[in-house]
Amino acid sequence: MEMGRRSSEAVTKGSWFTPKRLLIVFCVINMLNYVDRGVIASNGVNGSLETCTESGVCTGGKGIQGEFKLNNFEDGVLSSAFMVGLLLASPIFASLAKSYNPFRLIGVGLSVWTVSTLGCGCSFNFWSIAICRMLVGVGEASFISLAAPFIDDNAPVAMKTAWLAMFYMCIPTGIALGYVYGGIVGSNFNWRWAFWGEALLMLPFAILGFVMKPLQLKGFAPSGSSKAFIAVETVDESDDLETAEVPVLVADGGDRSEDAVKTSNMFTRFFGDLKQLLGEKVYVVNVLGYIAYNFVIGAYSYWGPKAGYNIYHMANADLMFGGITIVCGIFGTLAGGYALDHMVATLSNAFKLLAGATFFGAIFCFAAFCMKSMYAFIALFAVGELLVFATQAPVNYVCLHCVKPRLRPLSMAMSTVSIHIFGDVPSSPLVGVLQDHIKNWRHTALILTTVFFLAAGVWFVGIFFNSVDRYAEEAEAQLASENKASTKPLLEGADETS
């Protein structure tokens, strides 16, 4: 407990940021990221093509699709183009955190996000807005990879998972606000103003990342450093020698330039860290369960309204599914975080909560699609979603605590990449193929829901691993190291006296 408190104080010492201020700022930034996703999908911004009746009366197109005359394929590309930048840039930002202050990298990412969102509002054709959407994903990547480790460092020891839950609760809330904001602005003004408004709201946070004293992330560069640094890490018996970072000395006049050496070191370090990350069985099992879970959640979000309309003839299927997801997403995510803290946050307890909540959530969702009554479906499906959303904080807690602090950004980045590439990205088209084959939405939904049981089974296996909390492990090692009289001064101290 004392070590956790000392770490938090060390991270925010001398900075405007207190732990609570940091959480609030990061929650608002995370919400703005997801507001953007809701905006691009809202009817007021996305719009529609021009339509004509048989009598020749035409209604002009509106929004992005109408102005740029996009077909449905091109329109669909815009909604997911940000994913390209996000998936490519997440591992890059995680790797750069070894050489540059992570807090400054968030500032860089938010600046890219702000400029790219502004560019979306200034776009003039399909390709210009598609490229801007990809760059929005690049900007978001730095925040996705690095924000959760900062929150984990600063959260009170007894509320770490609850703080993560508050952070991830902003996902459904942000998307919901994006739908409303995009619809109001797009319908009453012009779709471009929706993007310009987002950029204006994010600008102060981008500036904040540069003007405030940078915070130090546990296991990374000193907070006062704006330059690349060489991390001198102790190699214990559990470390693979191939992943240890070895300084490279280059003689004056050598053929290899300093930049080439830094690039080579960065790639060597990245692949070494990746090998070490994939060697963590707890991490691999956690992400495999998360992939199966996200496979279902992604398909639910895309096909749910259509399935509900066809099975139960819902008049407002979009509103119904959206409302259930928002309410259950907020309360379920918060409940999961507080439940794990109440159980005492350990990796084993996290897996128990992941497996149990997903298993019982799957039962309720499966039973919901078996019901003939729409009201029975809504009641059971709401309980099911409340349970499955309770996994958000625990699954990310495991990603952060099953690896050493220096691997946490890469852990979060590779988790994000994996759940999208193997989870929600392929699930929508695969479920579409399944529906085309069996032509029964009830059966399709039931088959899809069974994947939740697979996720619960994978997470159940994690309970029996000899899980070690690497965060606490390294914290204890750091405390012991500080108490040794023979310990050499840190590079940070040397810089201050030079």
Side-chain angles (χ1 to χ4, degrees), residues 280-440:
E280 293 283 355
K281 292 185 294 184
V282 175
Y283 177 77
V284 172
V285 167
N286 186 52
V287 172
L288 287 175
Y290 203 6
I291 289 170
Y293 166 91
N294 217 51
F295 185 95
V296 184
I297 293 295
Y300 271 179
S301 65
Y302 190 80
W303 292 114
K306 182 167 288 189
Y309 176 79
N310 282 275
I311 297 172
Y312 299 103
H313 307 291
M314 294 179 181
N316 297 302
D318 288 332
L319 182 61
M320 187 69 68
F321 270 82
I324 292 173
T325 301
I326 292 164
V327 174
C328 295
I330 292 172
F331 287 101
T333 303
L334 288 175
Y338 281 101
L340 183 55
D341 284 332
H342 181 73
M343 294 168 65
V344 180
T346 64
L347 297 180
S348 178
N349 282 343
F351 276 120
K352 290 175 185 176
L353 184 55
L354 288 170
T358 306
F359 178 76
F360 288 107
I363 291 176
F364 276 96
C365 289
F366 192 91
F369 283 108
C370 292
M371 295 293 107
K372 293 184 178 180
S373 166
M374 181 181 72
Y375 298 105
F377 165 79
I378 292 172
L380 290 172
F381 190 71
V383 175
E385 286 225 312
L386 195 70
L387 287 165
V388 297
F389 273 115
T391 61
Q392 285 297 308
V395 73
N396 286 287
Y397 176 88
V398 175
C399 281
L400 289 168
H401 284 254
C402 71
V403 300
K404 293 184 177 180
R406 63 183 179 83
L407 291 177
R408 288 181 302 167
L410 184 62
S411 169
M412 298 304 295
M414 296 311 299
S415 171
T416 301
V417 169
S418 299
I419 64 173
H420 288 312
I421 289 181
F422 303 110
D424 55 5
V425 170
S427 68
S428 293
L430 287 176
V431 170
V433 170
L434 177 63
Q435 170 59 20
D436 287 341
H437 179 69
I438 65 178
K439 294 179 172 57
N440 186 308

Side-chain angles (χ1 to χ4, degrees), residues 16-67:
W16 173 83
F17 286 102
T18 62
K20 288 184 178 179
R21 284 178 181 172
L22 184 71
L23 176 64
I24 292 169
V25 168
F26 278 6
C27 282
V28 174
I29 293 172
N30 199 33
M31 190 173 295
L32 285 175
N33 279 326
Y34 283 89
V35 162
D36 176 72
R37 298 192 192 182
V39 164
I40 192 68
S42 66
N43 289 328
V45 171
N46 182 266
S48 59
L49 286 170
E50 180 185 53
T51 57
C52 296
T53 63
E54 293 182 356
S55 61
V57 178
C58 296
T59 303
K62 58 182 180 179
I64 298 172
Q65 189 176 22
E67 184 168 335

